[in-house]
Amino acid sequence: MEETGRTTHTLAALMELRKRILNGDFPGGTRLFEVPLAETLQISRTPIREAMSRLAEEGLLDRLTNGGFVVRSFTLADVLDAIELRGVLEGTAARLAAERSAPPAVLERLNHVLLQLDACFGRDANEVDFEAYSNLNGQFHTLLVTLSGSAVLQREIERATRLPFASPSAFLSGRTNIDVFRQSLHVAQEQHRALAAAIASREGTRAEFIAREHARIARRNLEYVMLENPELIISVPGLALLNS
Amino acid sequence: MEETGRTTHTLAALMELRKRILNGDFPGGTRLFEVPLAETLQISRTPIREAMSRLAEEGLLDRLTNGGFVVRSFTLADVLDAIELRGVLEGTAARLAAERSAPPAVLERLNHVLLQLDACFGRDANEVDFEAYSNLNGQFHTLLVTLSGSAVLQREIERATRLPFASPSAFLSGRTNIDVFRQSLHVAQEQHRALAAAIASREGTRAEFIAREHARIARRNLEYVMLENPELIISVPGLALLNS
DNA sequence: ATGATGGATAATGTATACATTCATCCGGAT
DNA sequence: ATCCGGATGAATGTATACATTATCCATCAT
């Protein structure tokens, strides 16, 4: 066989199918058939099956009762619930981090990220290094989960945030560098600070609810997109698979 | 091929492997190899792979980076966290049920189950129809999730609850009809009543925290087993795969 | 002695032929 | 006209041969 970039056919199919699904090439509810996909991707049915199985694990496909897969379909309510769910889970991570003594070394790293996030803002309120912020924001959320000290929770949070629109950086991609989003970053960063402070001083309930509210920024951004700027839908990762 | 009871080899392998894992035949961390399993189960590697893929989806197996699967291993802390996580998720379901107007018809069904649960208790405090209670308890928890009206949440709760020791009926199997557990049912049922009342009167926060506390009955039962009655470990579904 | 190297072995990855199942439609009997 | 039943096709299920890769161990050079 030819080299396809030093990877297995399964992984190639996985990435290609994921890309197409997130891109909206297959509307929600579309059934994916092995044979045509195998022909399209020029590989056999075996790695296609394996890839679809993993996409079901990711939550992008649903298994049919009598075999086969369909693209999972998401209503706006589903996406809002997925965001709320992330808030609940991250809130739990924050609470546990506060209740159980979070390791000082990791807390230190969290504060370091906090300072770096501060540095993303310029003197002018509208001046923000969007790219750097997005990257550091991801680090902050990862550290928060680590701080909880719960492998089980970490696993489920990673799972829930694998749906791109439920990820903490859903509205932070380069493609969505938009006034409204940029301005929300000041609020978000203040929440980051409060969250770190609450964890450091063992205020579990405070930490939990700050994290929930923090996730709701994404909810507001989503509502803005849907109601006032629908042409942005295609710019937000994963929103292409919103149906109806 | 021979008939093996009107099902596919994949499903047969799935059920058999699940049974063996939950039974503790493969200690946590054991790597499962396709070839020996295929020989043992008298089928080819293909359905074995498919079955293992689904067990990874269930959270019983972990994928290795370079292919292959290992039995997931759980520490006591992991099990406690899984129970806490169920509490958090069911709490969220309860809160949403309260906040969003739960359909009266479903609320009615919840109250009906509540009455049936009451009927499981005899005049003597120690007299409980354990089997019926267990069954109705499952219905109650299912209805609670339905009441939330969130398909996304329902999906994740079903997922989290697929680990048997994190299920609402983990300590309610016929094999664990034990004084300590039986007595906890009175407290549990009082929480069921309070939960239904809180939802009916739209008290979201109250509902959320009752549900969390409700899950912690399982935590207490687990601690009892571990500390005071370790020989019961094998009687509680799934606890066999606790390691260390 | 130690580290690199290479090959044997054993595992998963892949293609493909064939089996089975399920839905659909057509035709005939009532 | 309607219902039942079998043919048909298209889909997944399964077995298996072969390809590829990873790992371990022996061996050699330093």
Side-chain angles (χ1 to χ4, degrees):
Chain A
M1 277 285 124
E2 266 175 287
E3 289 197 24
T4 55
R6 191 64 98 182
T7 181
T8 64
H9 288 169
T10 297
L11 290 187
L14 176 61
M15 293 187 297
E16 183 62 25
L17 288 178
R18 187 196 287 129
K19 194 185 81 182
R20 293 191 186 190
I21 292 167
L22 294 179
N23 193 41
D25 293 0
F26 309 113
T30 305
R31 181 167 176 181
L32 297 185
F33 295 107
E34 296 174 6
V35 178
L37 285 177
E39 283 167 7
T40 303
L41 302 184
Q42 298 272 57
I43 57 180
S44 79
R45 283 172 52 209
T46 310
I48 296 281
R49 279 168 79 86
E50 176 70 15
M52 291 201 293
S53 188
R54 296 199 195 191
L55 287 169
E57 215 168 318
E58 286 185 26
L60 291 180
L61 298 180
D62 276 332
R63 283 179 195 277
L64 294 171
T65 37
N66 282 330
F69 297 85
V70 293
V71 178
R72 190 168 163 196
S73 91
F74 295 92
T75 63
L76 177 57
D78 288 333
V79 176
L80 291 173
D81 281 355
I83 291 170
E84 178 73 14
L85 177 62
R86 167 167 68 87
V88 167
L89 293 175
E90 289 186 335
T92 301
R95 172 170 65 87
L96 293 184
E99 287 174 356
R100 308 168 176 183
S101 301
V106 187
L107 260 179
E108 197 44 54
R109 286 172 58 199
L110 193 72
N111 283 320
H112 182 60
V113 172
L114 222 43
L115 290 177
Q116 288 178 284
L117 277 165
D118 277 333
C120 293
F121 296 95
R123 200 163 301 176
D124 183 53
N126 213 17
E127 191 186 321
V128 181
D129 185 342
F130 207 72
E131 195 65 19
Y133 185 96
S134 173
N135 181 27
L136 289 163
N137 180 66
Q139 287 182 42
F140 184 92
H141 283 260
T142 303
L143 275 174
L144 173 64
V145 175
T146 306
L147 274 171
S148 77
S150 169
V152 168
L153 188 58
Q154 174 175 11
R155 188 187 174 107
E156 293 311 310
I157 289 179
E158 281 170 2
R159 218 192 108 69
T161 55
R162 206 163 291 154
L163 297 174
F165 49 71
S167 141
S169 31
F171 295 89
L172 293 178
S173 85
R175 295 185 295 173
T176 53
N177 186 346
I178 292 158
D179 273 7
V180 180
F181 297 165
R182 223 179 305 132
Q183 283 158 23
S184 73
L185 298 189
H186 290 88
V187 176
Q189 172 64 353
E190 177 56 29
Q191 290 172 332
H192 286 158
R193 276 190 288 263
L195 200 42
I199 291 172
S201 52
R202 310 266 202 284
E203 301 169 87
T205 304
R206 182 182 167 211
E208 174 164 13
F209 285 84
I210 291 171
R212 284 197 190 177
E213 203 57 30
H214 185 56
R216 292 192 185 111
I217 290 180
R219 180 193 178 101
R220 211 155 27 115
N221 284 339
L222 174 60
E223 285 169 342
Y224 166 80
V225 167
M226 298 304 290
L227 297 175
E228 305 193 35
N229 228 337
E231 70 271 18
L232 283 182
I233 289 180
I234 53 165
S235 307
V236 180
L239 277 196
L241 41 77
L242 236 176
N243 75 347
S244 76
Chain B
M1 276 285 124
E2 265 176 289
E3 289 198 25
T4 55
R6 192 63 95 184
T7 177
T8 65
H9 288 171
T10 296
L11 290 186
L14 176 62
M15 292 188 297
E16 183 63 24
L17 287 178
R18 188 197 286 128
K19 194 186 82 183
R20 292 190 188 191
I21 292 167
L22 293 179
N23 194 40
D25 293 1
F26 308 113
T30 304
R31 182 167 175 181
L32 297 185
F33 294 107
E34 296 174 3
V35 177
L37 285 177
E39 283 167 7
T40 302
L41 302 185
Q42 297 272 54
I43 58 180
S44 79
R45 282 171 52 208
T46 310
I48 296 282
R49 281 168 77 87
E50 175 71 16
M52 291 201 293
S53 188
R54 296 200 195 190
L55 288 169
E57 213 168 320
E58 286 185 25
L60 291 181
L61 297 181
D62 276 331
R63 283 180 196 277
L64 294 172
T65 36
N66 283 329
F69 297 86
V70 292
V71 178
R72 189 167 165 198
S73 92
F74 294 93
T75 63
L76 176 57
D78 289 333
V79 176
L80 292 173
D81 281 354
I83 292 170
E84 177 73 14
L85 177 64
R86 168 168 67 88
V88 167
L89 293 174
E90 289 186 335
T92 300
R95 172 170 66 88
L96 293 184
E99 288 173 357
R100 308 168 176 184
S101 301
V106 187
L107 259 179
E108 197 44 56
R109 286 172 59 201
L110 193 73
N111 283 321
H112 182 60
V113 172
L114 221 45
L115 289 176
Q116 288 178 285
L117 277 165
D118 277 335
C120 293
F121 296 95
R123 197 161 305 174
D124 182 52
N126 212 17
E127 194 185 320
V128 180
D129 186 340
F130 207 71
E131 195 64 20
Y133 184 95
S134 173
N135 180 27
L136 289 164
N137 180 66
Q139 287 182 42
F140 184 91
H141 283 261
T142 303
L143 275 174
L144 173 64
V145 175
T146 306
L147 275 172
S148 76
S150 168
V152 168
L153 187 57
Q154 174 175 11
R155 186 185 175 109
E156 293 310 311
I157 288 179
E158 281 170 0
R159 215 192 111 68
T161 268
R162 207 164 290 154
L163 296 174
F165 49 71
S167 142
S169 31
F171 295 89
L172 294 178
S173 85
R175 298 184 295 173
T176 54
N177 185 344
I178 291 158
D179 274 8
V180 180
F181 297 165
R182 223 179 305 133
Q183 284 158 24
S184 73
L185 298 189
H186 290 88
V187 176
Q189 172 65 351
E190 177 55 31
Q191 291 172 332
H192 287 159
R193 278 190 287 261
L195 200 42
I199 291 171
S201 51
R202 309 268 202 283
E203 302 168 87
T205 304
R206 181 182 169 210
E208 174 164 16
F209 285 84
I210 292 170
R212 285 196 189 179
E213 203 58 30
H214 186 55
R216 294 194 182 110
I217 290 181
R219 180 192 177 101
R220 210 155 30 113
N221 284 340
L222 174 60
E223 285 169 342
Y224 166 79
V225 167
M226 298 305 289
L227 297 174
E228 306 193 33
N229 228 338
E231 68 270 18
L232 283 182
I233 289 180
I234 54 167
S235 306
V236 179
L239 278 197
L241 43 75
L242 237 175
N243 76 346
S244 73

